[in-house]
């Protein structure tokens, strides 16, 4: 209803992504279905991701008058600017798990949840046997260049907060509710 509330809402995504970035442990994602918008940002903030073949993704924000501004740095870090542009600008289009794997968002894709869970358990067990200090150093290296996210993601939340209050977005959201 106002800029402060709207910015606070989108800052929630900034809080989650920054918490994942600062976490001293490797975060392994388990994706077993469709993800849209902020869900794609959370996937991108994982350090390693397992997915099922039906784990498609979409960034629909531009179609309602906002954009994936807060989550963009995390997604771009994983898949690059060109793939990010393709994903964001084709906001009506689902990208399948093969696309996500080829772009680097998913590390491994499995035919079903049973196979995924079996491999995830094996991987997690192996990962847990590694030197914790080495894993922490690896995590630090994986997230190099993201130090400015403490401010950047909140600046982006303010952009989304402003846009969500626009007449264009209000009308788009009314159409969706109908």
């Amino acid at each position: 209803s106002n800029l402060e509330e709207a910015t606070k809402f989108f800052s929630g995504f900034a809080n989650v992504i920054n918490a994942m970035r600062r976490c001293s442990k490797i975060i392994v994602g388990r994706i077993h279905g469709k993800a849209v918008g902020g869900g794609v940002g959370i996937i991108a903030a994982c350090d390693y991701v397992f997915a099922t073949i039906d784990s498609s993704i979409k960034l629909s924000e531009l179609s309602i008058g906002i954009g994936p501004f807060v989550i963009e740095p995390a997604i771009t870090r994983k898949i690059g600017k060109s793939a990010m542009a393709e994903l964001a600008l084709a906001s009506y289009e689902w990208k399948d798990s093969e696309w996500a794997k080829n772009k680097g968002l998913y590390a491994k894709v499995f035919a079903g949840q049973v196979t995924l869970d079996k491999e995830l358990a094996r991987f997690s067990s192996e990962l847990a046997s590694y030197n914790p200090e080495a894993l922490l150093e690896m995590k630090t290296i994986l997230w190099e260049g993201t130090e400015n996210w403490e401010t950047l993601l909140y600046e982006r939340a303010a952009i989304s907060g402003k846009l969500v209050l626009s007449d264009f977005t209000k009308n788009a959201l009314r159409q969706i509710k109908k």
Side-chain angles (χ1 to χ4, degrees), residues 1-2 8 27-28 44 97 103 112 118 132 154 156 164 170:
S1 63
N2 63 59
K8 184 177 179 182
I27 298 175
V28 180
S97 58
K103 300 299 181 191
K118 185 176 177 180
Y154 299 102
R156 298 285 185 85
V164 79
K170 287 178 181 180

Side-chain angles (χ1 to χ4, degrees), residues 4 7 17 33-34 41 56 60 62 75 83 139-140 156 159:
E4 184 179 331
T7 300
I17 291 170
K34 292 181 174 183
S56 53
S60 59
L62 286 173
I75 297 170
K139 174 107 180 190
T140 301
R156 298 285 185 85
I159 295 169

Side-chain angles (χ1 to χ4, degrees), residues 64 166-178:
I64 60 167
S166 72
D167 289 337
F168 184 98
T169 299
K170 287 178 181 180
N171 288 332
L173 292 174
R174 270 195 291 277
Q175 292 301 316
I176 291 170
K177 286 180 181 179
K178 287 181 182 180

Side-chain angles (χ1 to χ4, degrees), residues 4 6 11 15 38 51 55-56 58 66 107 110 134 136 148 150 158 175:
E4 184 179 331
S11 292
N15 292 336
S55 299
S56 53
K58 179 167 77 166
I66 59 174
F110 299 92
L136 176 59
N148 68 331
E150 289 296 335
Q175 292 301 316

Side-chain angles (χ1 to χ4, degrees), residues 1-13 157-158 160-165:
S1 63
N2 63 59
L3 183 58
E4 184 179 331
E5 284 180 4
T7 300
K8 184 177 179 182
F9 172 81
F10 289 103
S11 292
F13 293 106
S160 294
K162 177 184 75 170
L163 290 171
V164 79
L165 298 172

Side-chain angles (χ1 to χ4, degrees), residues 13 34-41 43 56-61 71 94:
F13 293 106
K34 292 181 174 183
V36 179
V40 179
I43 292 167
S56 53
I57 58 172
K58 179 167 77 166
L59 294 181
S60 59
E61 289 87 345
I71 60 174
W94 286 97

Side-chain angles (χ1 to χ4, degrees), residues 14-68:
N15 292 336
V16 171
I17 291 170
N18 274 323
M20 293 173 77
R21 181 179 63 82
R22 290 188 307 259
C23 180
S24 63
K25 303 294 184 188
I26 300 293
I27 298 175
V28 180
R30 178 190 181 276
I31 316 306
H32 57 91
K34 292 181 174 183
V36 179
V40 179
I42 291 170
I43 292 167
C46 291
D47 298 305
Y48 200 88
V49 177
F50 289 88
T52 60
I53 198 161
D54 61 340
S55 299
S56 53
I57 58 172
K58 179 167 77 166
L59 294 181
S60 59
E61 289 87 345
L62 286 173
S63 67
I64 60 167
I66 59 174

